[in-house]
Amino acid sequence: MEDQTINSEETVASQDEIVQNVATPSPDDTAQSTEPANEPVAETQSTESVNEPVAETPASEEPQNISAEEAHEAAQPVMEGADEGIQAEAPRTRAPRHYYENVPDTSHDDFDWSVDKRNVAAYKDDERKMFDTLYGSTFKAIAESELLHGAVVGLTKTDAIINIGFKSDGLVSLNEFRDMPDVKIGDEIEVMVVEKEDKNGHLHLSRKLARAARAWQQIVDFYKTGEVVTGTITSKTKGGLIVDVYGLETFLPGSQIDVKPVTDYDQYVGKTMDFKVVKINETIRNAVVSHKALIESDIEQQRSVIIGQLEKGQVLEGTVKNVTDFGAFIDLGGVDGLLYITDISWGRVTHPSEVLHNGQKLNVVVLDFDDEKKRISLGLKQLTPHPWDNLPAEIVESAKIKGKVVNIEDYGAFLEIMPGVEGLVHVSEITWSSQPINAKEFFKLGEEHEAVVVTLDKDERKMSLSIKQMTADPWDTIENKFPIDSRHTGVVKNITPYGVFVELETGIGGMIHISDLSWIKRYNHPSEFVKVGDKIDVAILSIDKENRKLALGHKQLEEDPWNTFESVFPIGSIHEGSVTRKDDKGATVQLQYGLEAYAPARHLRKEDGSNVEAEETLPFMIIEFDRNDKRIMVSHSKVWEQIKTEEKEAARKEVNAESEKTKKAVKNIQSKVEKPTLGDLGALAAIKDKMKKAEDDAATEEE
């Protein structure tokens, strides 16, 4: 490589000499050009070497006279045969004046056009091609981002000098040779051209970028072919590990490290492992690798072999690999099977962890398998007989048993008599009461209850139980303990929009209708009067033994006050009341003694034209009293309207009295005067007009 560099320099020097010799006339040539025209002129011939002597021009050819333009062109230096890559311009030189005067005329046919006006011959085509090839071989064309092989020709404290055959050597930082601590002169390496000429004029090369580009190309090829690559885990990152593959950093997700869940990533840092490229991103040159894929590939081969040998009912030994909410995965030696929660035990299992734990070895039976989906269903309880097949002899109908609550539904609860044997207590068999029972409120998981076996079907493996039949039916003697009109205290168990359910004792209860809560107050909902869990006094109104129902009342504990109210609140009487509620249709008015009345909207207008508002206390008139329906209607408008009517009536009576008095006076006058005079007639007319006016005013007020 050094010899090649030296030769290229010598060649460039020789070319410069050629240009110098061609462009600049020698002193002999200059002197010769000043000789008389009859002296011999040197003739230049075409030669293969630039160092050969120039032939002289025959003496017989005398210079002819030429024009000034031709003389001027002849005086210009000409350089022919120089390479196109070198631009050399010789100094311009003018010929002496007498040269233009003594140049003889020469016909075109006799002039040798292969000789220029300075007696220098041009290169032939083959010679030009030879020199072009010779000159071009001294240089190497390169492009940025190109990968090239070069040789280390020198080492400094910080850089390695790399010769790639370019016009200058490049520098590569020694930091990029950490994987080659013993780099030495003469080593061949692959580099990438970063810049052909940086700001300092140096050729910028990079071994690191070359390795990354080469590594990326290899990774792309491995991704396409599926070939296994080897990499070193360099560090831990969020969600996984960083793997160095041929100098390129790739990502190994935590889920792709192993088929088993991995929590400690640090144990893998520094390890060299085999991987499979599972994903690449050409845009950002990022790759994702997986070690799990290789393991799964091996497991898949083992799985195919194992599944090919499986048979239903076959008992295998396995190891609990992972416990989940729905079951457990069992490792059968290279292939996993699922042991579902319902196949763990004949009894109810809330969570598989109650019976199984990771690493536990146990025998399981193959229930089913799918060759295509590679799924294996396993069972554990099937290794033991079903408990219903070995049911104890003492468990028969009408027998009393004890069980634990293992499941609660809206329709009842299941009691586990023994593992794998359960019975249902329907909500209708919880209590003798006919009132609905909420099973989820009555039962609690894990509680133990005694019950009577009502029905038993071993073939269907079903059993119905009853808790209420543990005691005698109280409805058989209901009249003795709860006769009609008797008074008792019960507990509110349920409230509905139409009434309240009260339990008098276990299994015995009845309902108080909303209308039987109070004599004087109407409730929109029973919850306004009582709450669930409150104690309440009731009276037995009626007994329906067949349907197991009691009609209860609360207001019947007191006498009906409406007999007294009829005399206290007669129609037309006025009482003070407070508006408690109001809507568009009317208002509820609270009267004395806790009695409520209703005032329609048209009866809530005040004398000033405004309406009565809620929480106002005003006088109200009783306009309707219905004892049977326990309803009272009142009006505020009637109060001030009646007062106004009374005032008008009083005024009318006063006018009538005055009129009667006047009439009597007139009669007295007439009886005393036989014939009225004109003055008397005028006075009588005035009195008559006054009386008529008074009557008209009274009629107007009445209207």
Side-chain angles (χ1 to χ4, degrees), residues 439-451:
K440 293 183 178 180
E441 294 180 358
F442 185 85
F443 294 103
K444 301 297 180 184
L445 286 176
E447 288 182 345
E448 287 192 352
H449 290 272
E450 288 186 344

Side-chain angles (χ1 to χ4, degrees), residues 24-255:
T24 307
S26 64
D28 296 338
D29 295 337
T30 305
Q32 185 178 359
S33 66
T34 60
E35 293 294 331
N38 56 359
E39 291 188 11
V41 180
E43 180 181 359
T44 303
Q45 297 180 352
S46 175
T47 60
E48 295 182 1
S49 174
V50 295
N51 296 325
E52 292 183 5
V54 179
E56 296 181 354
T57 306
S60 62
E61 294 184 10
E62 296 180 357
Q64 304 294 327
N65 293 326
I66 61 176
S67 65
E69 282 184 353
E70 293 174 346
H72 179 71
E73 291 178 359
Q76 303 304 319
V78 178
M79 182 184 70
E80 296 185 8
D83 188 77
E84 295 175 0
I86 302 177
Q87 300 293 333
E89 184 179 355
R92 296 177 177 270
T93 308
R94 293 184 61 86
R97 183 184 298 273
H98 65 270
Y99 180 82
Y100 299 101
E101 297 174 352
N102 300 324
V103 176
D105 293 335
T106 306
S107 65
H108 287 201
D109 295 337
D110 298 335
F111 185 76
D112 185 3
W113 292 96
S114 64
V115 180
D116 65 5
K117 297 179 178 61
R118 291 176 52 237
N119 300 325
V120 178
Y123 291 114
K124 296 180 181 180
D125 291 340
D126 56 347
E127 292 175 333
R128 180 181 294 277
K129 290 181 180 179
M130 179 189 69
F131 285 121
D132 286 345
T133 303
L134 180 63
Y135 182 73
S137 64
T138 62
F139 295 98
K140 185 176 183 179
I142 63 174
E144 292 184 358
S145 300
E146 184 180 358
L147 296 178
L148 299 170
H149 286 278
V152 180
V153 296
L155 295 172
T156 67
K157 292 182 178 180
T158 58
D159 301 293
I161 303 172
I162 310 298
N163 180 11
I164 61 171
F166 194 53
K167 63 181 180 181
S168 62
D169 295 335
L171 298 178
V172 177
S173 174
L174 291 178
N175 290 332
E176 299 186 17
F177 290 89
R178 292 181 179 178
D179 60 324
M180 291 179 62
D182 299 330
V183 62
K184 60 184 181 299
I185 296 175
D187 290 346
E188 287 193 4
I189 61 172
E190 188 176 29
V191 293
M192 175 183 283
V193 180
V194 181
E195 291 179 291
K196 291 191 289 188
E197 187 175 351
D198 61 12
K199 63 181 180 179
N200 297 322
H202 297 155
L203 174 63
H204 186 189
L205 305 176
S206 174
R207 179 173 178 265
K208 180 180 179 181
L209 294 179
R211 292 185 66 206
R214 184 65 65 187
W216 176 251
Q217 187 58 47
Q218 290 177 326
I219 287 176
V220 172
D221 294 340
F222 291 149
Y223 173 72
K224 293 179 180 179
T225 61
E227 187 177 347
V228 177
V229 299
T230 302
T232 301
I233 299 175
T234 58
S235 62
K236 179 179 71 171
T237 187
K238 183 179 180 180
L241 300 167
I242 300 298
V243 182
D244 185 339
V245 179
Y246 302 119
L248 183 69
E249 289 187 347
T250 60
F251 179 60
L252 173 63
S255 61

